[in-house]
Amino acid sequence: MGWTITEKILGSHIGKEGVSQGEHIFADVDFMLANDITFPLSINILKELKDVEFKGIKKLTLVADHFTPNKDVRSAENVKLLREFSRKYGIKLYEGGTCGVEHCLLPEEGLVVPGNLIIGADSHTCTYGALGAFSTGVGSTDLAGAIISGKVWLRVPETIKIEYRGKPQKWVYGKDIILMTLKDLGEESGIYRSLEFSGETISYLDMPQRFTICNMAVEGGEKNGIIQPDKITEAYVKERAKRTWKFYYSDSDAKYAEVRTYDISKLTPQVALPHSPLNSVSIFEISKIEIDQVFIGSCTNGWYEDLRIAAEVIKGKKVNDNMRLIVAPATYKIYLQALKDGILEIFASAGAIISPPTCGPCLGGHMGVLASGEKAVSTTNRNFIGRMGHPESEVYLANPAVAAASAVLGRIAHPDEVK
Amino acid sequence: MIKITGKAWKVGDHIDTDVIIPAPYLNITDPSKLKEGLFEPIRKNFSKMVNAGDILLGGKNFGCGSSREHAPLAIKASGISCVIAKSFARIFYRNSFNIGLPLIISPQAVDGSEEGDLLEVNFEEGRIKNLTKNSEFSFPPLEKFLLEISSEGLINYILKRKNEI
Ligand code: SF4
């Protein structure tokens, strides 16, 4: 019996070829991250310890992205804690002008690479599965434990194999593919499981769209999402990697809990209705829904390619009078590229607010929170009650083209409706 | 932590971490302050109503959403001694055990109990007694690994077994 890519990566991190499903292991961590929300809790734990060696500390990178630029005194104090910690232990901290949304920043900087076992004190750490790495979100105590021991405890998940066939139509992206998949898998079917995304459709998707798919793998409760590396992965990694990488592939006789196949060639843009990312419908099923805000950004769709797609729709048009459009490039490199290529100018001329790279609005933190009764279209990954502001606000999740069209028309709209 | 008795509080399905503890509280690390935000979007001042030892009943997929450990920390700080739900989200599950908040999966106990009922949980035997309704439910006893982590806390667990893991 063969192994899946996830089982091979986990096995190689406990000195074995593979691992059995359901087994509890303490596995070596290659890379770990934490942010301005989650790391202060880890510091609370670590500072109580006396005479304890931090065996895993050199594997840690900190990104102060959630409330950057610091939105109030408490956030500033938390980032100060991160600064002091990073200086004391010689740990890299991204903040200020080099900061960006962690799950876009770390692949872009070449710090997370294929074949790695990565943990992060942030649920969307599963994003890096798109590189062919095992990558999963943990809590602050787990992270403190890994700083002490260099290891993390894991229960080996079962894998669901997802096979995509066909080429996506115009205006259909990784975001639509994952929204459709999450809806079909439904609640709970993914809990504790691994999702392996495969099939010919993957070869049509660039890395940002693959990151989007793995990013949202967690929304159904999954442990990780993963895509086997190919030429596109290799080209992406070669240009950036600062650490050595290794490609793993699933065996043809690997054991899957389930295999599901989807035809992507007929898929239409999807919109997830409030208040669950699993609640998506085709945009053609939506009647007129007027909105107050559009947000384009986040670790799901704040990539350069996402901004380019949105700019294509909005070029020469104006943001509807009744609403706000907020655009946040996910990282400073993306910001700079979009600036040089005139993409930011297209947004600014249309009347958009251009935000510095930050998580900000995605979690209702700052830089554009919603009032009671307000509705927003957002390219982010979660539309829980109160996620982007007031508990009586509503969030509709969509791809960047739909978001841009909605900003122009002031209601949820298909990109072809923008004339 | 073999046996606990407490009054039940009940919430619904898909209680996500944004509902357990919303973003404005995330830059707080002191659990005694954190608990003030517990369940704010659905039940203001929840932590003031709870007595130490009380038990929380949740529906399906309890704790879904972000990895914020603020969620189990706020629940524990409020005095809740254990959460019984139909199912739990993965990161919430591990976070809770890591910080010493035990969780039990028992859809029957959740459906068979109401808010205000007096419950008694025996972890070793895998039994929940509803003393108000005079009914009883069983659950698969927790694996040794998880019981040890939740009674020692992850950090002590690791420090004690430095040479084994
Ligand atoms: S952009 Fe949103 S989902 Fe992504 S890491 Fe930031 S807060 Fe989390």
Side-chain angles (χ1 to χ4, degrees):
Chain A
M1 185 58 98
W3 310 102
T4 66
I5 173 171
T6 291
E7 290 159 1
K8 283 188 187 174
I9 297 175
L10 291 178
S12 73
H13 287 77
I14 55 166
K16 289 188 183 162
E17 196 189 333
V19 282
S20 328
Q21 294 168 4
E23 196 183 332
H24 278 113
I25 56 170
F26 265 94
D28 283 324
V29 172
D30 295 310
F31 185 91
M32 59 181 125
L33 70 130
N35 58 46
D36 47 333
I37 288 184
T38 54
F39 201 61
L41 289 177
S42 307
I43 294 180
N44 269 1
I45 297 166
L46 296 171
K47 71 172 189 233
E48 298 298 321
L49 305 173
K50 301 269 169 317
D51 302 321
V52 172
E53 184 197 351
F54 292 168
K55 285 190 206 150
I57 190 126
K58 292 293 172 216
K59 301 170 180 180
L60 174 69
T61 291
L62 300 171
V63 187
D65 55 354
H66 277 61
F67 295 133
T68 188
N70 298 330
K71 73 158 181 150
D72 56 15
V73 173
R74 280 204 307 244
S75 316
E77 293 291 338
N78 280 343
V79 173
K80 192 171 117 189
L81 287 177
L82 266 58
R83 288 170 81 117
E84 288 165 356
F85 187 93
S86 81
R87 285 182 193 153
K88 183 167 173 194
Y89 293 100
I91 300 302
K92 177 73 187 164
L93 163 68
Y94 288 93
E95 63 148 342
T98 62
C99 197
V101 176
E102 51 203 16
H103 307 307
C104 301
L105 183 73
L106 297 174
E108 187 182 77
E109 294 288 310
L111 290 171
V112 288
V113 295
N116 270 187
L117 193 155
I118 302 156
I119 59 167
D122 188 276
S123 57
H124 292 105
T125 303
C126 54
T127 308
Y128 323 128
L131 293 163
F134 176 86
S135 191
T136 192
V138 297
S140 304
T141 300
D142 278 309
L143 203 91
I147 288 174
I148 297 167
S149 64
K151 296 185 181 191
V152 64
W153 72 266
L154 296 166
R155 185 176 172 276
V156 178
E158 294 182 314
T159 298
I160 305 177
K161 185 178 185 177
I162 308 284
E163 269 183 7
Y164 296 124
R165 305 249 169 84
K167 189 176 175 190
Q169 295 177 8
K170 190 168 166 62
W171 308 125
V172 173
Y173 307 98
K175 180 65 160 283
D176 307 293
I177 295 175
I178 187 66
L179 285 176
M180 175 278 293
T181 310
L182 287 170
K183 171 159 194 188
D184 188 70
L185 285 171
E187 57 185 51
E188 295 192 79
S189 71
I191 293 193
Y192 310 127
R193 288 168 148 187
S194 168
L195 289 184
E196 186 175 316
F197 302 103
S198 62
E200 60 146 328
T201 309
I202 300 292
S203 63
Y204 297 114
L205 306 178
D206 56 18
M207 282 312 295
Q209 295 190 64
R210 297 180 187 192
F211 284 125
T212 305
I213 290 177
C214 288
N215 174 271
M216 289 194 73
V218 68
E219 309 308 341
E222 290 76 4
K223 185 166 212 130
N224 69 317
I226 198 160
I227 296 175
Q228 302 189 60
D230 62 7
K231 285 203 187 84
I232 293 175
T233 326
E234 193 174 359
Y236 184 90
V237 174
K238 259 193 183 155
E239 237 179 78
R240 297 169 174 83
K242 293 205 177 81
R243 305 179 35 245
T244 49
W245 72 86
K246 187 171 174 188
F247 288 164
Y248 288 90
Y249 303 95
S250 295
D251 292 328
S252 55
D253 57 348
K255 189 173 140 209
Y256 294 99
E258 202 184 324
V259 180
R260 295 205 187 191
T261 307
Y262 299 99
D263 178 6
I264 296 303
S265 65
K266 293 187 187 67
L267 186 67
T268 52
Q270 304 286 301
V271 177
L273 310 176
H275 295 281
S276 166
L278 276 50
N279 207 6
S280 65
V281 296
S282 163
I283 189 154
F284 297 112
E285 288 170 42
I286 294 181
S287 50
K288 193 174 165 194
I289 298 177
E290 286 180 356
I291 50 174
D292 306 282
Q293 179 168 307
V294 167
F295 175 54
I296 299 174
S298 85
C299 58
T300 317
N301 283 120
W303 296 94
Y304 175 80
E305 288 72 4
D306 297 318
L307 304 188
R308 195 177 40 70
I309 290 162
E312 193 186 318
V313 175
I314 218 161
K315 191 173 183 178
K317 305 282 185 303
K318 289 274 179 228
V319 172
N320 189 281
D321 279 345
N322 295 325
M323 55 155 296
R324 312 171 284 267
L325 166 62
I326 301 166
V327 181
T331 68
Y332 69 100
K333 278 188 185 158
I334 295 173
Y335 191 105
L336 197 60
Q337 189 70 45
L339 184 70
K340 282 184 187 156
D341 295 352
I343 286 175
L344 294 190
E345 193 180 337
I346 293 175
F347 287 125
S349 324
I353 301 162
I354 297 170
S355 155
T358 181
C359 290
C362 169
L363 79 160
H366 66 154
M367 298 278 182
V369 294
L370 300 173
S372 61
E374 285 194 330
K375 293 185 171 68
V377 170
S378 180
T379 65
T380 53
N381 46 37
R382 288 192 178 139
N383 55 352
F384 300 150
I385 295 173
R387 171 74 179 183
M388 293 182 74
H390 195 278
E392 279 151 36
S393 58
E394 289 185 354
V395 179
Y396 295 79
L397 304 176
N399 76 33
V402 170
S406 306
V408 173
L409 295 170
R411 59 176 170 81
I412 299 179
H414 189 282
D416 283 341
E417 293 180 71
V418 178
K419 300 272 163 29
Chain B
M1 193 205 64
I2 294 169
K3 205 157 131 183
I4 51 172
T5 310
K7 203 176 87 171
W9 296 90
K10 197 166 181 178
V11 293
D13 288 339
H14 300 290
I15 296 294
D16 60 72
T17 51
D18 282 274
V19 165
I20 299 174
I21 186 92
Y25 290 89
L26 295 184
N27 47 20
I28 300 175
T29 56
D30 177 0
S32 66
K33 295 216 177 69
L34 211 48
K35 70 176 186 194
E36 289 167 17
L38 180 61
F39 292 130
E40 190 179 84
I42 52 168
R43 279 190 165 195
K44 275 210 163 60
N45 295 321
F46 181 78
S47 73
K48 293 205 181 106
M49 300 184 278
V50 172
N51 289 312
D54 284 358
I55 293 167
L56 181 67
L57 301 174
K60 287 188 276 191
N61 208 9
F62 186 89
C64 56
S66 83
S67 66
R68 59 188 72 161
E69 210 161 290
H70 308 69
L73 278 175
I75 294 175
K76 196 182 169 198
S78 77
I80 295 283
S81 59
C82 134
V83 187
I84 306 172
K86 294 186 180 174
S87 63
F88 290 98
R90 188 190 70 85
I91 304 178
F92 181 86
Y93 193 75
R94 59 184 296 137
N95 282 347
S96 300
F97 282 97
N98 285 346
I99 63 153
L101 174 70
L103 308 180
I104 294 168
I105 300 171
S106 174
Q108 298 81 5
V110 173
D111 283 335
S113 307
E114 281 168 81
E115 185 154 307
D117 288 357
L118 196 63
L119 305 181
E120 182 190 281
V121 178
N122 187 319
F123 289 95
E124 220 153 64
E125 293 171 7
R127 244 179 331 110
I128 302 165
K129 269 193 198 162
N130 186 323
L131 302 173
T132 308
K133 296 202 162 49
N134 220 346
S135 52
E136 199 173 303
F137 313 93
S138 63
F139 60 92
L142 293 173
E143 290 167 64
K144 185 165 162 271
F145 175 76
L146 286 175
L147 258 184
E148 283 172 355
I149 285 189
S150 88
S151 60
E152 295 173 31
L154 177 70
I155 300 299
N156 286 329
Y157 181 96
I158 289 174
L159 291 175
K160 261 174 69 188
R161 294 166 183 77
K162 245 193 271 171
N163 303 322
E164 297 160 41
I165 58 173

